[in-house]
Amino acid sequence: MKRIKIDRSKCVGCLTCVTACIISNNSLDPRNRIVIDSQNNYAPIFCRHCEEPECVFTCMTGAMHKNVQTGLVEYDKAQCASCYMCIMACPYGVLKSDSLQQKEIMKCNMCTHRDAGPMCVEKCPMQAITLEEVQK
């Protein structure tokens, strides 16, 4: 099972990962972002595909669910009731509504549509974003 790992000390705030996310998902909004923390350092924010995801626990319809095979938290827009409970429940503030499709949730899908994996990992010029194998 692979997860995105972020080395904040390497991040220069170039937004290449944000642009890569937009391009990979053919969207106008990214599913990740970069903020500046209290020490004025860049802090990339990505879905952590939590072991015990609050977004899944609060989802009334099952639109947010944990894939037991991959360990990824997945989103099915066809099942979504647009209640935004998942957005409110995420302790990391990662989830948001799509600015164009107001009834859809923007969530990292680890670029499962790409054979090469997450584009943000591939394109990060500082190698601040890597893919790491983790044990279940």
Side-chain angles (χ1 to χ4, degrees):
M1 183 163 63
K2 295 193 177 196
R3 294 286 182 266
I4 290 175
K5 182 179 180 190
I6 299 165
D7 183 345
R8 287 179 165 195
S9 68
K10 292 181 178 180
C11 181
V12 296
C14 67
L15 301 176
T16 302
C17 59
V18 174
T19 304
C21 183
I22 290 168
I23 292 168
S24 179
N25 290 286
N26 193 25
S27 177
L28 294 178
D29 274 338
R31 285 147 172 76
N32 58 7
R33 66 183 183 283
I34 297 179
V35 298
I36 297 176
D37 68 17
S38 59
Q39 282 81 40
N40 286 330
N41 296 318
Y42 295 109
I45 307 292
F46 288 76
C47 178
R48 298 177 185 207
H49 295 277
C50 301
E51 193 61 39
E52 295 185 21
E54 292 297 323
C55 60
V56 170
F57 297 149
T58 59
C59 183
M60 301 179 297
T61 65
M64 283 289 175
H65 57 275
K66 184 132 176 128
N67 183 318
V68 292
Q69 250 79 44
T70 64
L72 299 179
V73 175
E74 298 175 342
Y75 169 67
D76 180 355
K77 64 183 174 185
Q79 286 187 283
C80 185
S82 303
C83 69
Y84 302 129
M85 289 300 294
C86 57
I87 293 173
M88 292 183 276
C90 177
Y92 304 105
V94 176
L95 303 177
K96 62 182 181 178
S97 65
D98 186 313
S99 63
L100 292 178
Q101 307 291 332
Q102 290 295 312
K103 296 182 180 200
E104 291 183 23
I105 303 301
M106 300 289 290
K107 193 205 160 308
C108 173
N109 59 10
M110 292 285 280
C111 291
T112 53
H113 56 279
R114 299 182 71 232
D115 291 335
M119 189 182 276
C120 59
V121 172
E122 178 186 324
K123 299 297 182 184
C124 180
M126 303 306 292
Q127 296 179 332
I129 306 165
T130 56
L131 207 54
E132 180 180 280
E133 189 71 35
V134 293
Q135 298 301 319
K136 240 181 166 177

